[in-house]
Amino acid sequence: MAVVGDEVLTCGLDDTLRRTSLELMEAAPDALALGGQPLGMAVAPGGTTVVVATSKGLVVVQREGAGWKVAGQTAPSGWSATSVAVSASGEVAVGGDDSKVHLYTLSGAALSPGPALEAHPKPITKVAYSPDGKRLASTDAGKEVIVWDLAAKTPINRDMVYHQARLTAVDWSPDSRRLVTGSIDNHVIVWDVEKGVKERVFLDRAHIGGVTCVKFAEPTRIVTTGADSNIKVWVV
């Protein structure tokens, strides 16, 4: 799900992208076929381009009049996409089931492959760029979180292994200093990237059945959702 202007864009199990007007609070009748099961969606700077990671590859969707169109597609070779994020500069990070984070350059509707970041022992589950564009966070199907220095393309933190199972959600604070993660282990952890793991905040049993989404709403306020059908707000 993503908010673009006055619309909410959603992808679902029917392999389509749909839009809902925030003003009218109703869905548009049209649905855009993606050609595969959507696994993640990210909005590029400017709000007119969206990159969707699907089971079949990467789909670039662009604004066309009042609606959206498929403007480009890329099928990875030898691996499948699991998640996607777009930086403020337009760089695209794609998590792979090969345990790598694949970087792309987005130009118009074209995605050009770049280097891959390798350090995870398990398939990537989520990726997220810091708001200042200097770092990238990636999580995996084991229990590890890695923060990358994008200039050096190297890990900054390799000791963020305090979840007990597959990670399902990650988000940055507005000042790019803190990170929040969620897992199927029911827990949410807030990390201080500058101070290290000793400064982490552990939200025990935040959602029974697993955490599905985490989001910094404000610098000290986090919104989480889970398999328990609850939406919770935390002050941290």
Side-chain angles (χ1 to χ4, degrees):
M1 182 176 70
V3 178
V4 181
D6 62 351
E7 289 183 329
V8 175
L9 301 183
T10 57
C11 294
L13 294 174
D14 59 356
D15 298 355
T16 67
L17 181 147
R18 296 176 183 270
R19 56 194 178 92
T20 300
S21 168
L22 289 173
E23 181 180 358
L24 301 176
M25 295 303 293
E26 60 182 40
D30 55 318
L32 185 65
L34 297 171
Q37 185 70 67
L39 302 168
M41 176 170 55
V43 181
T48 59
T49 299
V50 175
V51 182
V52 184
T54 78
S55 57
K56 300 294 181 63
L58 303 173
V59 181
V60 178
V61 177
Q62 292 185 328
R63 174 77 74 176
E64 183 179 53
W68 297 82
K69 68 174 182 179
V70 173
Q73 299 186 62
T74 299
S77 177
W79 59 278
S80 297
T82 61
S83 53
V84 64
V86 181
S87 74
S89 65
E91 181 182 70
V92 179
V94 182
D97 64 356
D98 59 355
S99 305
K100 301 176 184 178
V101 178
H102 300 264
L103 301 181
Y104 287 79
T105 299
L106 176 64
S107 178
L111 286 167
S112 301
L117 307 179
E118 301 184 45
H120 279 279
K122 298 288 185 179
I124 310 300
T125 54
K126 295 293 179 181
V127 288
Y129 283 99
S130 61
D132 63 10
K134 296 179 180 179
R135 297 169 178 169
L136 175 75
S138 54
T139 66
D140 68 29
K143 53 185 179 181
E144 186 167 3
V145 184
I146 295 179
V147 176
W148 303 83
D149 180 315
L150 286 173
K153 302 293 189 294
T154 56
I156 297 173
N157 306 71
R158 287 303 309 273
D159 54 355
M160 300 169 70
V161 192
Y162 287 85
H163 280 287
Q164 300 170 15
R166 175 170 56 89
L167 284 105
T168 54
V170 61
D171 192 41
W172 286 90
S173 63
D175 61 4
S176 301
R177 293 182 58 89
R178 295 198 295 170
L179 194 68
V180 58
T181 55
S183 166
I184 61 172
D185 64 6
N186 303 331
H187 309 314
V188 170
I189 300 178
V190 183
W191 314 82
D192 190 310
V193 177
E194 301 293 336
K195 296 180 179 179
V197 296
K198 292 183 179 180
E199 296 295 324
R200 68 188 183 279
V201 176
F202 191 76
L203 304 178
D204 186 33
R205 297 171 68 84
H207 292 278
I208 303 304
V211 180
T212 56
C213 185
V214 295
K215 186 71 176 179
F216 270 97
E218 298 173 0
T220 59
R221 193 179 300 269
I222 294 170
V223 179
T224 64
T225 64
D228 55 3
S229 302
N230 285 328
I231 300 173
K232 297 183 179 182
V233 179
W234 311 80
V235 177
V236 295

